[in-house]
Amino acid sequence: MSAATICPSIPSDEELLGRFTTGERSALDELFRRYRQPAYRVAHRLLGNEADALDAVQEGFVKALTHLSGFQGRSSFKTWLLRVVSNAALDLGRQRGRRETLSLDNNLGGERVHAQLLTSDQAGQGLEQADLRMLLDLALATLSDVQRQTFVLYADAELTYREIAELMSTSIGTVMSRLYYARQKLRAYLSERTVP
Amino acid sequence: MNRKRNDQGSAGFGGARDQEPTPEQLAAWADGELPWPEARKVEAWLARHPDQAHDAEAMRSMVRLYRDNAPPEPSADAWQSALDVIESRLAAPAAAARPPGRPWRLRLIVGLIGAAAVFGGILLARVRAPAPAPFPFIEHGPGQIAGVEDDEIFSVASASEIHIIRVDVQDADRIVMDQPLIGTFELAAPEDINIVKVERNPDEGPMPRLQRRAGVPMIVIVRPEEEEEQDP
């Protein structure tokens, strides 16, 4: 359900896209404000740093809006945008060799992270949380591209299985399978690197 | 989650009273993504096997772990700077359509193809070679191939099975570079291929066996099978 059906004063994505195509700058601002966060989270998870993630977000918005004819309302704009952003991020990651960098386990120095961190109660643990984020990124780097993309679209962009299947041009069963095996690998990786 | 997979996979779940769900189904149930008839069966199974509930919880907690540790947000200035770049790139559509470097490569490819065509034409004129014999197979008209209706169009590959590595300049605006294909796309002209045989598969329709005409450049690479579905 679009926001416009809840509150008439909030324009739908379709309205904003229509206004964008007529050259209204504020429509782009609103679309960017609306979807920058999920796009950035997906890109950051796939690339591991803010600068590259912002590059991928920029690339994704530009491509998604330049090629609206390819979108044609077959899915939501969010799904279309995240498809382009995640593909741009994977492409950028390949160009910049993120996986090789991460595989060095830099900054963690091979130390084990205390399992206590693997809870949601982490207030006041800024530095340790940064380590945990690094560990989570390293775990993601062990997955194949399609597994990482699937997991990140589910966990960070909060897309449904159906939306991910549409986005990746595959079946819901495949999404289900990728998510299961992705979590198995993440769990195995993290359990080896945490202490009770 | 290391439970033994049931022998019948997802299709077999729900047949016998105590048949366990697959690990994938249990994970989907934990995500709230299983359709309700199947979800109800999983719940009934978990009610009979409460010791297995931790598997579902482990799946859920992995997602929660990542959501609770989302990357830190960029500053307001960084967001504004990103928006400014997007606006400036969209203001120059020709440059925005392709990432940096690609126009140079595209021009080089087009230039090389053009140069090759000119060079080939000059050579051909000098040698005055007879025109090549027409490709023998293109004389097959519609309806002449068993199993194919007149003007029938069928897929030879799905979008996920191909990578585009080059696009003719006249087609450059028809696709989003580096993105999966949307809808159908013509990979070769009819005269570029020879249909050797067509078998009508009851599940997938006509399945042609193709042969490229000599001299037609290869433009697609078939991806290897994905492996993650075969993981233990």
Side-chain angles (χ1 to χ4, degrees):
Chain A
M1 181 182 293
S2 69
T5 60
I6 300 169
C7 177
S9 64
I10 299 176
S12 67
D13 290 352
E14 291 72 25
E15 288 173 48
L16 289 173
L17 289 169
R19 283 160 49 188
F20 165 75
T21 55
T22 64
E24 192 178 319
R25 180 190 159 125
S26 64
L28 171 61
D29 293 358
E30 175 60 21
L31 284 167
F32 182 72
R33 191 195 58 76
R34 198 172 280 187
Y35 295 117
R36 66 187 186 184
Q37 187 184 68
Y40 173 78
R41 284 185 178 179
V42 166
H44 196 291
R45 285 288 192 216
L46 295 173
L47 289 161
N49 69 80
E50 180 179 313
D52 284 352
L54 284 171
D55 281 352
V57 170
Q58 289 166 16
E59 189 68 33
F61 267 94
V62 169
K63 277 185 175 175
L65 291 168
T66 306
H67 299 282
L68 280 175
S69 57
F71 162 51
Q72 292 177 337
R74 275 179 264 208
S75 60
S76 69
F77 176 70
K78 179 185 177 185
T79 308
W80 166 249
L81 174 69
L82 290 174
R83 167 191 182 131
V84 181
V85 168
S86 58
N87 284 339
L90 287 172
D91 197 31
L92 202 59
R94 280 190 284 268
Q95 287 171 21
R96 299 184 184 179
R98 171 185 185 270
R99 300 187 113 199
E100 288 76 5
T101 306
L102 283 175
S103 67
L104 297 174
D105 280 21
N106 53 339
N107 296 336
L108 285 179
E111 291 178 11
R112 291 179 165 228
V113 175
H114 200 281
Q116 194 178 19
L117 289 174
L118 300 180
T119 68
S120 57
D121 182 20
Q122 293 162 348
Q125 300 180 14
L127 182 60
E128 290 173 333
Q129 188 170 36
D131 283 346
L132 176 57
R133 285 198 188 107
M134 170 71 82
L135 184 65
L136 295 179
D137 281 350
L138 290 169
L140 275 177
T142 65
L143 305 182
S144 68
D145 279 356
V146 289
Q147 281 180 333
R148 273 193 304 152
Q149 191 176 14
T150 307
F151 180 78
V152 163
L153 288 168
Y154 180 72
D156 288 292
E158 302 191 23
L159 296 184
T160 65
Y161 282 21
R162 180 173 297 282
E163 287 172 324
I164 297 169
E166 277 177 19
L167 183 155
M168 299 184 79
S169 303
T170 190
S171 68
I172 291 178
T174 301
V175 171
M176 193 186 290
S177 176
R178 285 177 183 167
L179 278 174
Y180 170 73
Y181 287 112
R183 282 183 277 197
Q184 285 287 82
K185 285 185 184 174
L186 292 173
R187 190 182 181 192
Y189 183 93
L190 293 171
S191 63
E192 284 174 10
R193 285 157 183 80
T194 56
V195 293
Chain B
M1 186 185 294
N2 291 311
R3 291 182 307 105
K4 190 179 174 185
R5 176 184 298 274
N6 72 43
D7 291 334
Q8 309 208 7
S10 59
F13 176 58
R17 184 180 181 279
D18 207 38
Q19 195 160 27
E20 66 178 301
T22 64
E24 293 94 327
Q25 285 173 321
L26 196 54
W29 174 82
D31 291 337
E33 290 278 352
L34 216 52
W36 78 265
E38 282 184 74
R40 211 170 122 190
K41 289 173 187 169
V42 172
E43 284 160 15
W45 184 83
L46 281 173
R48 294 191 298 275
H49 302 86
D51 54 315
Q52 300 296 331
H54 69 276
D55 282 352
E57 179 53 32
M59 290 286 113
R60 204 181 281 133
S61 65
M62 185 58 68
V63 172
R64 198 164 52 233
L65 178 63
Y66 274 83
R67 285 181 182 167
D68 289 345
N69 291 281
E73 289 279 310
S75 66
D77 285 347
W79 280 132
Q80 187 57 49
S81 174
L83 179 59
D84 291 343
V85 170
I86 292 166
E87 285 175 341
S88 66
R89 288 183 64 189
L90 287 171
R98 304 176 191 93
R102 184 150 287 130
W104 178 84
R105 278 191 286 169
L106 187 61
R107 268 187 236 119
L108 176 65
I109 291 168
V110 171
L112 286 173
I113 293 170
V118 170
F119 185 66
I122 293 169
L123 271 182
L124 214 62
R126 284 192 177 181
V127 174
R128 294 180 183 275
F135 190 57
F137 298 101
I138 61 173
E139 294 174 8
H140 288 302
Q144 288 181 273
I145 302 167
V148 181
E149 303 295 328
D150 283 2
D151 301 325
E152 185 171 2
I153 297 172
F154 42 81
S155 300
V156 296
S158 69
S160 61
E161 289 172 332
I162 62 167
H163 277 309
I164 296 176
I165 57 173
R166 200 190 70 214
V167 177
D168 289 340
V169 69
Q170 66 267 25
D171 291 327
D173 294 332
R174 295 179 58 202
I175 60 167
V176 183
M177 296 298 289
D178 300 327
Q179 303 305 312
L181 288 173
I182 298 166
T184 58
F185 191 79
E186 191 175 302
L187 294 174
E191 63 270 24
D192 291 337
I193 60 169
N194 167 40
I195 300 177
V196 179
K197 187 180 178 184
V198 176
E199 296 166 348
R200 192 169 287 278
N201 183 307
D203 296 325
E204 300 181 73
M207 297 296 291
R209 300 285 176 266
L210 303 176
Q211 185 180 68
R212 265 184 319 120
R213 190 182 63 175
V216 174
M218 177 64 80
I219 59 168
V220 297
I221 297 173
V222 177
R223 282 180 177 165
E225 287 291 314
E226 292 174 354
E227 293 177 1
E228 73 271 14
E229 276 77 40
Q230 281 78 49
D231 283 2

